[in-house]
């Protein structure tokens, strides 16, 4: 099992910045990819950004140029730096860890952290 604990959410004005963190523990060997998803009120969960074990990153178009995902392997931590925040970024942000093998995929989720952007 893998445990993920997010922190760093909160309330910020439009145009501001916020950084959320996710600490992974447990059986984190061979985790291929970690990422951030978000679920706005009344909407489905969507991918925000991912980072692979090799350091490659990918972002949803709506956050490109504003959000940066990074990882500190020594601390088993993944960060999402969010700049130039907009009210439409308001959502619960979830950390995800994924282990993909030839035979199965394991998905692990954190409990989520609320990010609210006021206009």
């Amino acid at each position: 099992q893998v445990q993920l604990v997010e922190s760093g959410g909160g309330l910020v004005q439009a145009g501001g910045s916020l950084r959320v963190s996710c600490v992974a523990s447990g059986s984190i060997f061979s985790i291929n990819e970690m990422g951030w998803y978000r679920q706005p009120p009344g909407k489905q969960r969507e991918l925000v950004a991912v980072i692979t074990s090799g350091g490659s990153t990918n972002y949803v178009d709506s956050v490109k140029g504003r959000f940066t995902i990074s990882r500190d392997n020594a601390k088993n931590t993944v960060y999402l730096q969010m700049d130039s925040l907009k009210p439409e970024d308001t959502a619960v942000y979830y950390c995800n860890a994924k282990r993909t093998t030839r035979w199965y995929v394991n998905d692990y989720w954190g409990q989520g952290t609320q990010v609210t952007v006021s206009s």
Side-chain angles (χ1 to χ4, degrees), residues 91-113:
V92 178
Y93 283 71
Y94 295 92
C95 181
N96 171 264
K98 194 180 303 291
R99 178 185 295 120
T100 303
T101 73
R102 288 179 58 188
W103 304 278
Y104 61 85
V105 176
N106 289 147
D107 260 316
Y108 302 96
W109 296 93
Q111 81 286 355
T113 185

Side-chain angles (χ1 to χ4, degrees), residues 38-46 88 90-92 94 114:
R38 66 186 180 188
Q39 187 164 15
K43 297 184 179 181
Q44 290 188 335
R45 192 175 298 189
E46 63 176 1
E88 50 263 43
T90 295
V92 178
Y94 295 92
Q114 177 70 47

Side-chain angles (χ1 to χ4, degrees), residues 1 11 18-19 36 52 55 75 85 91 101 103 105 108 110:
Q1 287 295 323
L11 173 64
L18 208 58
R19 188 178 79 163
W36 289 94
T52 68
K75 297 182 178 179
L85 282 160
T101 73
W103 304 278
V105 176
Y108 302 96

Side-chain angles (χ1 to χ4, degrees), residues 9-13 18 85-87 89-91 93 114-118:
L11 173 64
V12 64
Q13 288 188 331
L18 208 58
L85 282 160
K86 303 176 181 180
D89 294 318
T90 295
Y93 283 71
Q114 177 70 47
V115 172
T116 303
V117 184
S118 63

